[in-house]
Amino acid sequence: MKKNCIIIAFLIAISELSSAQIMQDTIIRHEMLNEVVVTAKIPAVEVSPGKMSYMIDATITQRSGTIYDMLSSLPGVAISNEGDITLYGKGGATLLVDGKPTYLSGKDLVSMLKSMPASNSDKVDLVSQPSSKYDAAGNVGLIDIRTRKIKLRGYNVSIYANGNPGENNSGDIGTSMNIRNNKINFFSNYSYYHGINIIDMVINRPYNGYNVDMEEFSYRKRVQNSHFLRLGLDYDITEKTMWGLSLKGNYANQNERSKMTDIIYGSDYINHTSSFQHYVNQDLYATTYLNHKFNGDDREISGSADYYIYDTSRRQDISNEMSDPLHGNMNGTVNVYSAKADLRYRIKENWVISSGVKSAIVNLNNNAGYMRPYDNIWKYDGSLGSRFEYDENINALYFQSEHNIKSFQLALGVRLEDTHVKGKLSGNTVQPDSSFTTSYLSLFPNLGIQYNFKNGNSIQLTYGRRINRPNYGDLNPFTYRFNDFTADSGNTKLKQSYANNIELSFVHNNNWQIVAFFSHTADAIIKTCQIDDDGRLLAMPDNMANFTQTGIRAHIMSLSPVKWWNSNITFIGQYNYFKWREVNEEKENSRFTPIISFMNQFTISPTWSAEVNINYVGKVGAAQITMSPTNEINLGIQKKIFNGMGTISLFAKDILNGKKETAKANLYYGPISSRSDYKERMVGISLSLRFKKGTKAEEKSNKDEIEEMKRVNL
């Protein structure tokens, strides 16, 4: 708490001493006409066929906290503390940052998202039906987080801080800078994050057969400190050619202390387990890109090359009353090399074609070793340690045609992806060495037909085929031990699953949208629960079920009952149906789930504004597991300070602590239930200051198009 107060007091002192001119807020558009300023505020949500865009700067609560907090508050998006991401009630969503895959999963992904402040982003796109120029990965679509890049000329600086005192004490401080002239644009972002996450969980389940029950009580406290740095340079070689370079790095240090109590009913067994875990994660993402426009703005070629390296090391110490202590060391690296080239060509005024190629190589190398004391000497436990190596190469070719015929728009695309996978697992005293090799060629067509009415309304029918490949964390076979009775493991036998998605949408004047959707996924990758012969509960992903989803989404944007009140309403009604085989028995789970989001913004005065956001998710069925309903209410109030130079906000998130989760599963071995309290309720303060020094110049007509191209995964 002291750290947060010092940060905020320091920033206020800087703002009072500074003589710099204010920088125009990126959510405000200004046009200079004879020294008269016309201001238009960008709406918080924009809707278009197949895509929902959320403007983070336009809200109070969403830009407070981390990227993890922000994503969790978006309608239709759910992300767990274990890194499972769902979009519109369906798992397998691909997460992008500035159009680039994150390549992370599980706790590594959560660590990255919690190290990036939400104020570093200015927009999030939820794309349910990506075109063929996007990677086919993600059977439900993609989530693209756009990080902030100041577009104003001259010298611009932004400073911000968020503080949340209390049990989940957290806060972040950061700055962004931009220097732009006629040919060069240099930009940078730096942020530091400190956060505490507390999780209480109770698990009831059978043990060692079918007639004995046990109960587990766990308490986990995670403390994370992280640094995020981004540097970039854009250079206009000519009026038609632009070259750029970008570097992004993240360093996260996390400690987790946990206590678990196991009670086996019908016996005298009560065991207390203590665990300490230390994580260090660091990554670097480097990319260079080139864009050239031919005569006119309807023909262009672009290309980029990327390198990504991720390194992680983990240390785990477990001690309990009933067995020997355990010490584990786990480390791993991920190296990714990718390159792509794209061509966009306008054949006629109403006909545009796009084509491109992409190649990506992924190398994964993970090691795990455990030690136990033997005769007071720590020795290697050969039954637990192992090494996992994984190589993946994906080569892709796509073609996209877009044709306008009067009021009709026709988009037809196809993407061909050739995948080669090779994995090797070094064995131990229990498990022998094993290896696997897989190669497959997949075709992903997509079709979009849109009719535009004369009154501005439109109707669209889309179809797309997608793939969900096992992520690297799910393939990693290492067993992560919580205690002697609970563990988490990967699965090297996972295979890819395919989904066919159909949507019919109607958009009215870009203010409201209704979407009817249908999706079928074969061999869906699902997190399963199993109980082994020793009574240990093992959570492991598997190609378990065929999954069908159908329903309707309705979005009403910029609804204004009165002049000072603006609302955005989202309603999703989805029906999930899972069918799978478990221990030679056919099982089903079906559930209708309502999802409701109510975003309200209030203009109190020219300098005061407020916000009330309400989210509700009904009971959700996901194969073996059925989740209880959750709710979230977020409040915020904001005041412009220092003559519009900055803003100060007070926010309260999950004020009713409604994000507690209760999960139930009826397994062949008996029923399992868990109750989790992630304690995400928080009250905090946010401060943002912006400065500008320099003159404003008109942007080139192609700048916005180039910016968008650099942000998407072409």
Side-chain angles (χ1 to χ4, degrees):
M1 180 176 178
K2 292 180 179 179
K3 187 180 297 183
N4 297 331
C5 294
I6 292 173
I7 289 172
I8 296 171
F10 175 71
L11 290 178
I12 293 176
I14 289 178
S15 66
E16 291 177 339
L17 295 174
S18 175
S19 58
Q21 300 176 3
I22 54 174
M23 186 192 85
Q24 300 173 28
D25 195 309
T26 55
I27 67 170
I28 305 295
R29 183 173 68 252
H30 293 278
E31 299 177 2
M32 299 300 297
L33 299 174
N34 296 326
E35 298 183 352
V36 176
V37 179
V38 180
T39 303
K41 188 173 183 179
I42 294 177
V45 185
E46 290 183 353
V47 59
S48 59
K51 184 171 73 172
M52 296 289 297
S53 297
Y54 292 87
M55 310 303 171
I56 306 305
D57 270 344
T59 68
I60 300 174
T61 59
Q62 287 179 352
R63 70 168 181 265
S64 303
T66 67
I67 294 288
Y68 174 88
D69 300 323
M70 180 265 291
L71 288 178
S72 301
S73 68
L74 296 181
V77 178
I79 176 168
S80 72
N81 273 272
E82 305 305 319
D84 300 319
I85 301 177
T86 61
L87 177 60
Y88 301 135
K90 187 177 179 182
T94 295
L95 184 65
L96 309 178
V97 178
D98 290 331
K100 305 293 184 180
T102 58
Y103 296 108
L104 299 179
S105 61
K107 293 182 179 179
D108 295 332
L109 177 61
V110 171
S111 176
M112 184 200 74
L113 295 178
K114 288 189 174 183
S115 68
M116 299 173 61
S119 48
N120 264 357
S121 65
D122 60 4
K123 182 182 178 183
V124 176
D125 290 329
L126 309 182
V127 184
S128 58
Q129 290 282 52
S131 69
S132 61
K133 66 183 179 182
Y134 289 85
D135 288 344
N139 59 7
V140 68
L142 57 88
I143 303 172
D144 192 5
I145 303 169
R146 311 284 188 86
T147 56
R148 183 184 311 282
K149 182 184 289 186
I150 302 172
K151 299 179 181 180
L152 297 175
R153 302 281 178 159
Y155 178 81
N156 307 278
V157 176
S158 176
I159 304 174
Y160 58 86
N162 294 290
N164 167 39
E167 185 177 19
N168 282 3
N169 179 21
S170 64
D172 60 272
I173 182 172
T175 180
S176 60
M177 182 182 68
N178 164 259
I179 303 174
R180 180 190 288 264
N181 60 23
N182 291 332
K183 285 185 172 292
I184 296 178
N185 176 44
F186 172 78
F187 54 92
S188 66
N189 302 86
Y190 168 77
S191 60
Y192 167 77
Y193 168 78
H194 167 81
I196 297 177
N197 185 223
I198 296 175
I199 304 172
D200 283 332
M201 179 179 290
V202 180
I203 300 176
N204 296 275
R205 64 179 182 86
Y207 169 74
N208 198 23
Y210 312 102
N211 299 319
V212 180
D213 293 329
M214 74 175 299
E215 194 165 21
E216 296 179 322
F217 302 87
S218 67
Y219 171 88
R220 285 179 283 171
K221 182 177 182 179
R222 297 172 180 168
V223 181
Q224 177 171 318
N225 296 279
S226 59
H227 302 266
F228 174 80
L229 177 64
R230 176 173 178 251
L231 301 172
L233 175 70
D234 296 333
Y235 177 66
D236 293 328
I237 301 174
T238 68
E239 289 188 356
K240 299 294 183 180
T241 306
M242 186 203 69
W243 169 81
L245 176 68
S246 176
L247 296 172
K248 291 189 293 185
N250 179 65
Y251 175 86
N253 187 312
Q254 178 178 290
N255 292 324
E256 177 180 311
R257 296 186 182 275
S258 62
K259 294 181 179 181
M260 182 175 288
T261 300
D262 302 290
I263 302 174
I264 299 178
Y265 293 103
S267 71
D268 296 330
Y269 185 92
I270 299 179
N271 185 33
H272 300 282
T273 302
S274 297
S275 174
F276 173 78
Q277 300 158 53
H278 178 69
Y279 305 80
V280 175
N281 302 325
Q282 49 193 341
D283 62 65
L284 176 67
Y285 207 133
T287 181
T288 182
Y289 39 85
L290 183 70
N291 175 273
H292 176 73
K293 285 182 175 290
F294 299 95
N295 293 332
D297 290 338
D298 54 1
R299 301 173 185 177
E300 62 184 34
I301 187 171
S302 63
S304 68
D306 306 302
Y307 172 66
Y308 175 73
I309 181 171
Y310 176 81
D311 182 84
T312 180
S313 63
R314 303 183 182 184
R315 179 170 63 87
Q316 183 181 25
D317 292 292
I318 301 176
S319 61
N320 59 60
E321 300 171 346
M322 299 294 182
S323 61
D324 292 332
L326 184 66
H327 174 77
N329 281 302
M330 291 148 281
N331 58 76
T333 58
V334 178
N335 287 275
V336 181
Y337 311 84
S338 67
K340 62 181 180 178
D342 303 274
L343 172 68
R344 182 177 182 271
Y345 190 89
R346 184 178 295 276
I347 298 178
K348 296 181 179 179
E349 183 178 353
N350 60 347
W351 188 10
V352 177
I353 61 173
S354 303
S355 184
V357 295
K358 180 180 179 180
S359 181
I361 298 174
V362 178
N363 303 122
L364 181 73
N365 192 331
N366 283 349
N367 291 279
Y370 285 90
M371 300 181 71
R372 293 184 185 274
Y374 295 93
D375 298 326
N376 296 321
I377 299 175
W378 285 92
K379 295 183 179 181
Y380 175 71
D381 188 336
S383 65
L384 295 176
S386 187
R387 178 178 181 181
F388 179 60
E389 300 171 88
Y390 178 87
D391 297 305
E392 178 184 85
N393 175 221
I394 301 176
N395 301 298
L397 171 68
Y398 81 87
F399 177 83
Q400 183 83 15
S401 176
E402 300 174 5
H403 197 66
N404 296 333
I405 307 175
K406 294 183 179 180
S407 297
F408 283 95
Q409 292 180 340
L410 175 64
L412 179 63
V414 63
R415 187 178 184 92
L416 183 68
E417 293 191 351
D418 184 27
T419 305
H420 302 272
V421 172
K422 182 179 180 180
K424 180 180 179 181
L425 173 64
S426 301
N428 51 41
T429 57
V430 177
Q431 187 175 20
D433 291 355
S434 63
S435 61
F436 59 92
T437 302
T438 304
S439 295
Y440 53 92
L441 187 67
S442 303
L443 195 66
F444 303 96
N446 68 84
L447 172 68
I449 303 174
Q450 181 172 319
Y451 180 79
N452 300 312
F453 297 94
K454 293 182 179 180
N455 59 4
N457 300 336
S458 64
I459 188 170
Q460 184 186 60
L461 175 66
T462 60
Y463 163 78
R465 185 173 188 251
R466 309 286 296 172
I467 186 173
N468 187 28
R469 296 183 179 89
N471 62 53
Y472 312 124
D474 286 344
L475 285 169
N476 190 336
F478 295 165
T479 299
Y480 180 84
R481 302 286 294 269
F482 294 98
N483 60 9
D484 289 342
F485 304 102
T486 308
D488 187 273
S489 175
N491 183 1
T492 60
K493 297 180 181 179
L494 286 177
K495 60 182 180 179
Q496 69 278 7
S497 64
Y498 295 91
N500 292 281
N501 305 316
I502 300 175
E503 289 190 356
L504 177 64
S505 62
F506 177 77
V507 179
H508 173 71
N509 202 27
N510 291 326
N511 285 330
W512 57 269
Q513 178 188 60
I514 297 179
V515 181
F517 57 90
F518 172 85
S519 175
H520 176 75
T521 305
D523 296 321
I525 299 175
I526 300 294
K527 198 81 167 182
T528 66
C529 297
Q530 305 174 17
I531 298 178
D532 62 20
D533 295 336
D534 296 325
R536 183 190 300 116
L537 176 65
L538 180 66
M540 184 178 69
D542 199 359
N543 293 99
M544 186 176 184
N546 290 328
F547 172 41
T548 301
Q549 183 187 72
T550 185
I552 190 170
R553 299 195 302 266
H555 309 277
I556 303 176
M557 307 297 111
S558 300
L559 180 65
S560 186
V562 292
K563 185 177 180 180
W564 45 268
W565 179 10
N566 185 273
S567 295
N568 296 288
I569 303 173
T570 296
F571 171 78
I572 303 173
Q574 63 189 33
Y575 177 78
N576 292 349
Y577 175 75
F578 291 87
K579 184 177 181 179
W580 71 95
R581 178 174 291 273
E582 183 179 332
V583 194
N584 298 321
E585 180 181 343
E586 291 285 349
K587 288 200 170 186
E588 299 179 353
N589 187 5
S590 60
R591 180 72 57 180
F592 174 80
T593 303
I595 301 174
I596 302 172
S597 174
F598 194 21
M599 301 173 61
N600 300 275
Q601 295 177 307
F602 306 95
T603 302
I604 302 173
S605 73
T607 59
W608 283 92
S609 59
E611 189 172 286
V612 178
N613 295 335
I614 302 172
N615 296 316
Y616 172 81
V617 179
K619 189 174 290 188
V620 179
Q624 289 179 320
I625 301 172
T626 300
M627 304 293 297
S628 64
T630 61
N631 65 80
E632 180 181 14
I633 300 178
N634 301 327
L635 308 177
I637 186 167
Q638 175 179 283
K639 177 175 172 52
K640 294 181 180 179
I641 57 176
F642 305 128
N643 296 322
M645 189 176 185
T647 59
I648 186 168
S649 309
L650 296 175
F651 60 88
K653 295 188 176 183
D654 195 18
I655 60 174
L656 299 181
N657 199 23
K659 297 185 75 174
K660 295 180 179 180
E661 293 181 354
T662 299
K664 295 182 179 180
N666 291 316
L667 306 184
Y668 179 84
Y669 312 92
I672 294 179
S673 65
S674 67
R675 299 186 302 276
S676 303
D677 183 1
Y678 293 104
K679 297 185 181 298
E680 294 185 351
R681 178 165 50 190
M682 65 177 69
V683 177
I685 185 170
S686 175
L687 179 65
S688 175
L689 302 173
R690 294 183 170 96
F691 310 93
K692 175 188 175 182
K693 184 176 181 180
T695 59
K696 183 186 177 189
E698 292 295 328
E699 295 283 356
K700 297 178 182 179
S701 60
N702 67 338
K703 270 295 181 183
D704 288 341
E705 296 176 9
I706 294 176
E707 291 293 336
E708 288 302 310
M709 290 193 63
K710 290 186 297 186
R711 291 179 182 271
V712 299
N713 192 27
L714 297 178

